[in-house]
Amino acid sequence: MDTPQNTALTRALTELPGPLPARGVIHVVIRHTDRFTVVGNDLAQHPGLSTTAVGFAVRIQSLPQGTEVGIKALAARFPEGEKLIAAALRELETHGYLQRARTRLPNGRIVTRTVFCNQPTALLRPRAAATPPQLPPAARPIAPPALMPEPTVEPEASPEPEPEPTPDPVATPDPPAPLAAPPQAAAPPFVRLVPPPTAPKPPRPPLPRPRELTPELERISTALLSDLRHHAPQFTLSEEHVRELVPGVAAWLERDAHPDTIRHTLTINAPEPVNYPYQFVKHRLTVLLPPPLPGAHDLTPPPARRNPVTPFQTCDGCERAFRAPTPGHCRDCRAEDEQRATAA
């Protein structure tokens, strides 16, 4: 069966003016009168966006205000899957076409607000001050054509009177120039507060290693890693992965961590299922590494600084208690002794 031909398109092709190119695309442009969206070439021909991202940008741009454009909403509307839609939205967010932010409504509900800009590069350019439109000059009235005067008979020449002196014209000041509109401040550049998901991430910390990997530490570490599948079948490690993770377990054992504690830390609250047990165990050995135990001198409390206290003494005269570094008389008894000595 032959392929049906689009005769309407072929007829429109013959009506195009001018010579047509021998190869490549030929545009048959029909002007839209309703239900159309203007898409700029900076988006349609963006060198850093994939075709999927450009397609979703056009679809989002054609939707009315207030339409849900989340991943699940777009997946329910279009045939693409959620993963492909999420990747396309991340591309648009990276290049500034899309911005998503979580906001709280007055009723306490948290929603995601999506802002789409069809030309984000224009936000980075300073905006020129708007100048008022100039009105066209008023049409000057056209004077009617002058009629030719009829010929008259000139009278006899008579002496012309002397012309009266004309006063000098008074100079009139020029009208003041209109004040120019103050220049508007340039729009601040677009600054992304949150790094996009495709931004380069810092390198991961390396796997911890002991100061000295002794045969005893290596034996216990190998046995502990090989025995993980008996406690959690999803933590089945290959022999090569066990050899690579042995230094990390040895670093824990060197810091006096009990094997049961290490096993509990590696397997507790694990996701279901664990798709990459080697990466999961390596991450926990690196991030949850305990600090070394303090020594005996580190746990000794510093000596308490005490102020010297003067002891109590009993007065030899009145037997009253008073504070003094050595035994003797109190202040009153010493004063009475001095008075007696003075009177004598």
Side-chain angles (χ1 to χ4, degrees), residues 137-186:
R140 297 180 180 179
I142 302 176
L147 299 178
M148 297 298 294
E150 297 181 357
T152 56
V153 180
E154 296 182 358
E156 296 182 357
S158 58
E160 297 181 357
E162 295 182 0
E164 298 180 358
T166 58
D168 296 336
V170 179
T172 59
D174 296 337
L179 297 177
Q184 297 182 358

Side-chain angles (χ1 to χ4, degrees), residues 242-288:
V242 168
R243 286 197 301 267
E244 294 180 2
L245 294 175
V246 160
V249 179
W252 282 60
L253 294 173
E254 190 180 51
R255 300 190 177 193
D256 294 339
H258 196 272
D260 294 340
T261 304
I262 301 176
R263 185 183 302 108
H264 178 78
T265 305
L266 296 180
T267 58
I268 190 66
N269 294 332
E272 292 289 345
V274 180
N275 297 325
Y276 304 98
Y278 166 72
Q279 297 290 347
F280 186 82
V281 173
K282 181 180 178 181
H283 174 74
R284 288 202 169 184
L285 287 175
T286 305
V287 177
L288 304 179

Side-chain angles (χ1 to χ4, degrees), residues 56 70-76 78-90:
F56 275 103
I71 296 176
K72 294 187 179 297
L74 294 178
F78 304 116
E80 288 79 4
E82 293 186 5
K83 292 186 178 179
L84 187 61
I85 294 175
L89 295 183
R90 285 196 297 268

Side-chain angles (χ1 to χ4, degrees), residues 80-226:
E80 288 79 4
E82 293 186 5
K83 292 186 178 179
L84 187 61
I85 294 175
L89 295 183
R90 285 196 297 268
E91 288 187 46
L92 296 175
E93 195 171 8
T94 302
H95 291 84
Y97 287 92
L98 192 71
Q99 184 178 13
R100 292 176 287 186
R102 299 178 67 86
T103 58
R104 184 182 297 274
L105 298 179
N107 58 0
R109 183 183 176 186
I110 298 178
V111 297
T112 300
R113 175 176 295 176
T114 305
V115 181
F116 184 86
C117 180
N118 62 341
Q119 195 177 358
T121 55
L123 300 177
L124 305 179
R125 296 194 296 265
R127 300 179 182 179
T131 56
Q134 297 181 358
L135 299 177
R140 297 180 180 179
I142 302 176
L147 299 178
M148 297 298 294
E150 297 181 357
T152 56
V153 180
E154 296 182 358
E156 296 182 357
S158 58
E160 297 181 357
E162 295 182 0
E164 298 180 358
T166 58
D168 296 336
V170 179
T172 59
D174 296 337
L179 297 177
Q184 297 182 358
F190 178 76
V191 180
R192 185 180 296 276
L193 301 180
V194 179
T198 56
K201 298 181 179 179
R204 296 181 178 179
L207 185 70
R209 292 183 174 275
R211 291 191 300 270
E212 181 182 359
L213 184 59
T214 61
E216 184 66 16
L217 289 177
E218 185 176 2
R219 180 186 63 81
I220 300 176
S221 302
T222 304
L224 189 148
L225 293 171
S226 302

Side-chain angles (χ1 to χ4, degrees), residues 5-97:
Q5 300 291 332
N6 191 347
T7 58
L9 186 60
T10 305
R11 184 174 63 255
L13 188 63
T14 60
E15 297 175 358
L16 293 179
L20 300 180
R23 63 182 64 185
V25 64
I26 300 175
H27 295 283
V28 178
V29 181
I30 301 176
R31 185 178 181 85
H32 292 279
T33 57
D34 59 349
R35 294 183 55 80
F36 64 92
T37 302
V38 179
V39 180
N41 286 338
D42 57 339
L43 174 60
Q45 302 177 5
H46 198 289
L49 290 176
S50 62
T51 306
T52 305
V54 174
F56 275 103
V58 175
R59 286 183 167 182
I60 293 174
Q61 189 174 346
S62 65
L63 296 175
Q65 293 269 35
T67 305
E68 294 290 339
V69 290
I71 296 176
K72 294 187 179 297
L74 294 178
R77 181 187 294 267
F78 304 116
E80 288 79 4
E82 293 186 5
K83 292 186 178 179
L84 187 61
I85 294 175
L89 295 183
R90 285 196 297 268
E91 288 187 46
L92 296 175
E93 195 171 8
T94 302
H95 291 84
Y97 287 92

